[in-house]
């Protein structure tokens, strides 16, 4: 069956989502050289993924912004900057108009005019290639105008239909996942602090949770609303190594709390341990559920697939961190 002509073609891109695209665009068009450098590094990563298929507009933007960065930090003299700007501007005019050329060569001014590129920019390119080099002032002006054209005609038009809030969330989760690969221990240290996996009363109130849910420390259970709040991140970080490190850290924190009058923190530390262990159940426990039931359960579950736990090590640290919740944790059935 032929696809409908109105169906949109899908393209593989190097950026994660609209949020990353927007962030790189904002940094490129900032006047902060450090932010611009960060954006240029991102584009270098895109180019590594794209190989030789990097969009021309992205390449040209990076060339021009690199000129601005070197100009602003004052590392080059005026003559060197003119040559650098010149190469970027010549490359822009040539590459952007290249697709407009047919078998018979047409004047660049006409092609540029069709694309709403100012004629004087083409003249500037002509001066660089055939005449006396323009002044640095005109180079900077040309760079500014061309970057504005690229922003309006290319950057601002990409991925226009993607949902902004969800794009931001997806980008943030991807950033955290990358950070976890590089510094999992540091990330876990932050996660177990108050205000994160251990919510403050104000956070619970904002989520609409009952602050009195901690009244049963012998059988700690996470409020479902609070668990859902963390599910997206925990599913993103769901690897055997990370989950085991997180469990060990939680048991360590539980041990430190023994004898301290902090029932709230102890409750949530123990509740997370219970949740991480119990949700890693075997599939046969849900053998008779329907597809609808399974879909609903998976939305509330950290683990899509069962992961292998280091049970002997976890049992040892659990016994070392004996507290009022320990009998419950020992009874939690991971099978």
């Amino acid at each position: 069956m032929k696809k409908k002509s109105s169906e949109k073609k899908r393209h593989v891109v190097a950026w994660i989502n609209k949020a990353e695209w927007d962030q790189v665009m904002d940094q490129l068009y900032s006047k902060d050289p450090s932010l611009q450098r960060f954006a240029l590094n991102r584009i270098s990563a895109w180019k590594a993924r794209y190989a030789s298929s990097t969009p021309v507009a992205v390449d040209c933007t990076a060339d021009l912004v690199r000129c601005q960065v070197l100009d602003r930090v004052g590392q080059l003299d005026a003559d060197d900057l003119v040559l650098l700007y010149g190469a970027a501007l010549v490359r822009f005019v040539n590459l952007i108009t290249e697709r407009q050329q047919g078998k018979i060569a047409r004047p660049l001014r006409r092609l540029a005019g069709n694309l709403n590129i100012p004629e004087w920019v083409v003249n500037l390119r002509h001066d660089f290639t055939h005449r006396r080099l323009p002044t640095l002032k005109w180079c900077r002006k040309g760079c500014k105008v061309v970057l504005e054209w690229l922003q309006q005609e290319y950057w601002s038009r990409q991925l226009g239909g993607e949902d902004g809030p969800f794009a931001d969330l997806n980008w943030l989760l991807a950033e955290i996942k990358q950070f976890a690969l590089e510094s999992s221990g540091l990330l876990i240290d932050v996660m177990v602090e108050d205000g994160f996996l251990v919510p403050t009363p104000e956070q619970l109130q904002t989520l609409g949770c009952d602050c009195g849910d901690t009244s049963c420390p012998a059988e700690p259970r996470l409020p479902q609303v609070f668990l859902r709040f963390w599910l997206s991140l925990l599913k993103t970080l769901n690897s055997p190594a990370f989950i085991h490190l997180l469990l060990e850290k939680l048991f360590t924190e539980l041990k430190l709390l023994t004898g301290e009058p902090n029932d709230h923190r102890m409750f949530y530390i123990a509740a997370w341990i219970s949740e991480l262990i119990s949700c890693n159940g075997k599939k046969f426990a849900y053998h008779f559920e329907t597809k609808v039931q399974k879909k609903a359960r998976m939305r509330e579950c950290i683990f899509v697939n069962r992961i292998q736990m280091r049970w002997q090590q976890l049992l040892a640290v659990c016994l070392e961190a004996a507290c009022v919740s320990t009998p419950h944790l020992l009874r939690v059935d991971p099978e």
Side-chain angles (χ1 to χ4, degrees):
M1 182 181 293
K2 293 184 178 180
K3 294 183 178 180
K4 296 180 180 179
S5 58
S6 60
E7 185 179 347
K8 292 184 178 180
K9 292 183 179 180
R10 293 183 177 272
H11 300 280
V12 176
V13 295
W15 44 92
I16 298 171
N17 49 35
K18 184 178 184 296
E20 184 185 28
W21 177 271
D22 288 342
Q23 184 195 43
V24 169
M25 180 179 68
D26 291 342
Q27 291 170 341
L28 286 171
Y29 285 90
S30 71
K31 295 182 179 180
D32 185 339
S34 61
L35 291 178
Q36 289 179 311
R37 280 200 184 98
F38 186 84
L40 291 173
N41 289 336
R42 280 297 181 88
I43 290 178
S44 295
W46 293 356
K47 292 171 73 172
R49 298 169 194 162
Y50 262 126
S52 59
S53 303
T54 306
V56 167
V58 172
D59 253 344
C60 291
T61 305
D63 291 341
L64 292 162
V65 169
R66 193 171 289 108
C67 295
Q68 287 187 332
V69 170
L70 293 173
D71 193 351
R72 285 170 179 154
V73 298
Q75 293 180 345
L76 299 176
D77 59 31
D79 291 340
D80 290 335
L81 285 172
V82 167
L83 292 174
L84 194 65
Y85 275 117
L89 289 168
V90 169
R91 179 174 163 81
F92 163 77
V93 175
N94 289 349
L95 292 177
I96 291 297
T97 59
E98 187 176 37
R99 288 188 177 182
Q100 304 294 317
Q101 287 285 10
K103 293 182 179 180
I104 300 176
R106 290 182 289 174
L108 285 179
R109 289 182 179 84
R110 184 186 303 172
L111 298 176
N114 294 338
L115 297 171
N116 297 319
I117 298 173
E119 184 177 339
W120 67 266
V121 172
V122 180
N123 293 337
L124 199 62
R125 176 258 182 202
H126 188 75
D127 290 343
F128 276 116
T129 53
H130 302 294
R131 297 181 180 177
R132 185 177 179 179
L133 293 176
T135 64
L136 181 57
K137 178 181 177 181
W138 276 103
C139 291
R140 288 168 174 163
K141 183 177 181 180
C143 179
K144 180 176 180 293
V145 169
V146 168
L147 282 174
E148 289 173 352
W149 183 91
L150 285 164
Q151 183 180 29
Q152 179 180 348
E153 299 295 328
Y154 182 74
W155 288 89
S156 297
R157 295 187 177 187
Q158 303 303 307
L159 304 175
E162 189 170 333
D163 192 339
F166 285 104
D168 292 342
L169 175 61
N170 291 335
W171 174 83
L172 181 60
L173 291 174
E175 288 289 291
I176 296 175
K177 184 175 183 179
Q178 181 61 36
F179 181 74
L181 294 174
E182 300 169 357
S183 306
S184 57
L186 180 58
L187 177 60
I188 289 172
D189 287 344
V190 173
M191 289 175 64
V192 299
E193 290 182 359
D194 291 346
F196 293 91
L197 291 182
V198 180
T200 64
E202 293 77 14
Q203 289 172 332
L204 290 173
Q205 186 177 5
T206 300
L207 291 172
C209 299
D210 184 4
C211 295
D213 285 344
T214 60
S215 58
C216 186
E219 294 188 3
R221 292 282 190 277
L222 292 172
Q224 282 300 111
V225 175
F226 181 63
L227 175 60
R228 291 191 195 104
F229 180 84
W230 281 97
L231 273 179
S232 295
L233 177 61
L234 291 173
K235 286 182 177 182
T236 300
L237 301 174
N238 181 7
S239 71
F242 185 87
I243 295 299
H244 185 76
L245 285 175
L246 178 57
L247 279 169
E248 283 194 332
K249 180 64 176 179
L250 289 170
F251 275 119
T252 300
E253 290 296 312
L254 198 60
K255 182 179 180 180
L256 294 174
L257 289 169
T258 303
E260 292 189 12
N262 193 339
D263 294 339
H264 177 84
R265 180 171 174 79
M266 180 179 289
F267 176 90
Y268 277 95
I269 293 292
W272 275 114
I273 294 172
S274 175
E275 181 66 31
L276 289 170
I277 294 176
S278 63
C279 71
N280 190 33
K282 281 189 174 179
K283 292 183 178 179
F284 71 76
Y286 310 100
H287 183 69
F288 298 104
E289 68 183 354
T290 65
K291 289 184 178 180
V292 174
Q293 290 172 331
K294 180 179 179 180
K295 187 176 181 180
R297 175 174 61 84
M298 296 310 293
R299 283 199 300 266
E300 306 293 327
C301 189
I302 298 172
F303 302 107
V304 176
N305 297 305
R306 190 171 185 267
I307 65 174
Q308 186 63 41
M309 297 284 195
R310 303 172 194 170
W311 295 116
Q312 290 185 344
Q313 294 181 30
L314 292 176
L315 178 60
V317 293
C318 179
L319 294 174
E320 290 176 1
C323 64
V324 67
S325 303
T326 301
H328 168 73
L329 297 178
L330 291 173
R331 288 195 305 270
V332 172
D333 184 9
E335 303 299 327

